């Protein structure tokens, strides 16, 4: 008969206390992402921001820097990023649905936010946490432009015409092409999903003659 395992209540309680203390000792978001704007270093880690980001840090705002000065912390409003506006013409933005502010942070400019994400005009269905809220490139979309962002209709995706070959067949084709060309071939072989075959009059005439030959002549 197997021996029943004894519960070590004191050891389990000690483990929970250590986990709780470790959780409490972790730096908060306001401490982790605090920034000295003169030296462009984070006081907690001493790391310096990339030089290419200095201009945006001085001119642009973090998401919670904008939310902290708004009614209801910006719930219901739409925000975009400078990088999205520069990278592609399709609208990309977050519509904020929930905000959890870190009230211990100075100016209450840290915390977590949730919302509905729209990327290149395609809106996601589920609410999820907003990413990269600490980046200095967030912008508030004016109310008179919100409908313009929402009314955008993305172009339909083109149909898939080619798919990659299976790994073994792909390796064999690349090796065969490389031997024929006498060099390393980097062009990926693609398998067409549709074959465009053009039939001429001779093809149909031969098909008809072959059918007559198989069926024979009616008596």
């Amino acid at each position: 008969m197997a021996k029943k395992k004894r519960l070590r209540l004191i050891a389990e309680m000690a483990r929970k206390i250590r986990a709780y203390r470790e959780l409490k000792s972790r730096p908060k978001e306001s401490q982790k992402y605090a920034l000295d704007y003169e030296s462009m270093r984070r006081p907690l880690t001493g790391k310096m921001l990339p030089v290419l980001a200095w201009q945006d840090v001085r001119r642009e705002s973090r998401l919670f820097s904008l939310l902290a000065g708004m009614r209801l912390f910006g719930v219901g409003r739409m925000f975009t990023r400078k990088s999205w506006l520069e990278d592609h013409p399709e609208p990309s933005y977050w519509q904020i649905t929930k905000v959890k502010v870190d009230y211990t942070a100075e100016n209450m400019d840290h915390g977590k936010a949730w919302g509905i994400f729209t990327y290149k005009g395609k809106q996601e269905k589920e609410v999820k946490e907003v990413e990269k809220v600490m980046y200095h490139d967030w912008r508030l979309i004016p109310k008179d432009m919100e409908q313009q962002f929402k009314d955008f209709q993305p172009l339909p995706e083109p149909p898939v015409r080619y798919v990659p070959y299976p790994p073994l067949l792909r390796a064999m084709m690349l090796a065969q092409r490389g031997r024929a060309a006498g060099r390393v071939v980097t062009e990926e072989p693609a398998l067409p999903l549709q074959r465009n075959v053009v039939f001429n009059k001779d093809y149909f005439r031969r098909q008809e003659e072959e059918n007559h030959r198989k069926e024979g002549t009616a008596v």
Side-chain angles (χ1 to χ4, degrees):
M1 185 174 179
K3 187 177 181 181
K4 188 176 180 181
K5 186 176 181 181
R6 296 178 58 186
L7 294 177
R8 302 179 61 188
L9 300 180
I10 297 179
E12 183 66 17
M13 185 180 297
R15 186 190 65 80
K16 291 182 178 180
I17 293 175
R18 288 195 299 270
Y20 175 76
R21 288 179 176 176
E22 182 182 355
L23 181 63
K24 295 293 288 185
S25 63
R26 291 179 182 176
K28 297 181 178 180
E29 297 287 324
S30 57
Q31 298 173 338
K32 186 185 299 184
Y33 297 112
L35 180 65
D36 183 1
Y37 288 91
E38 294 183 359
S39 62
M40 289 297 171
R41 292 181 180 273
R42 299 203 182 276
L44 182 65
T45 60
K47 293 183 179 181
M48 181 181 292
L49 293 183
V51 178
L52 296 178
W54 289 8
Q55 184 176 358
D56 286 342
V57 169
R58 292 191 173 99
R59 295 184 179 181
E60 304 293 334
S61 302
R62 291 181 290 107
L63 178 60
F64 271 86
S65 298
L66 301 173
L67 295 176
M70 299 181 64
R71 181 175 175 269
L72 299 178
F73 289 100
V75 173
R77 297 300 301 273
M78 295 165 52
F79 295 84
T80 186
R81 294 177 57 187
K82 175 188 173 184
S83 56
W84 294 338
L85 297 174
E86 293 178 349
D87 291 346
H88 43 78
E90 299 87 357
S92 299
Y93 58 90
W94 282 91
Q95 186 167 13
I96 304 300
T97 59
K98 177 184 175 182
V99 175
K100 184 178 180 181
V101 183
D102 183 3
Y103 291 99
T104 63
E106 187 178 0
N107 301 322
M108 294 187 298
D109 56 351
H110 288 274
K112 295 183 179 181
W114 290 262
I116 300 175
F117 184 43
T118 300
Y119 184 69
K120 292 186 177 181
K122 298 178 182 179
Q123 182 178 347
E124 298 183 359
K125 297 180 180 180
E126 297 182 356
V127 175
K128 63 180 185 179
E129 185 177 351
V130 181
E131 300 175 349
K132 301 178 180 179
V133 296
M134 75 294 297
Y135 279 36
H136 289 76
D137 66 342
W138 287 93
R139 293 183 179 181
L140 172 66
I141 299 176
K143 278 198 170 184
D144 57 347
M145 295 183 62
E146 287 184 354
Q147 196 61 37
Q148 180 180 350
F149 276 70
K150 293 180 180 179
D151 292 341
F152 178 83
Q153 295 294 333
L155 296 176
E157 295 184 357
V160 179
R161 299 183 182 276
Y162 298 92
V163 295
Y165 279 92
L168 180 58
L169 185 57
R170 169 186 171 273
M172 294 172 61
M173 294 181 66
L174 289 176
Q176 184 178 4
R177 291 182 182 181
R179 288 194 298 269
R183 57 183 177 82
V184 178
V185 178
T186 59
E187 182 181 356
E188 286 290 335
L191 178 65
L193 297 179
Q194 181 179 0
R195 296 184 62 183
N196 297 324
V197 181
V198 180
F199 299 104
N200 52 22
K201 295 181 180 180
D202 296 336
Y203 173 80
F204 292 102
R205 188 174 64 252
R206 288 195 301 268
Q207 289 291 105
E208 186 176 358
E209 292 175 355
E210 185 176 353
N211 291 336
H212 281 303
R213 190 165 51 251
K214 289 182 180 179
E215 296 174 0
T217 305
V219 179

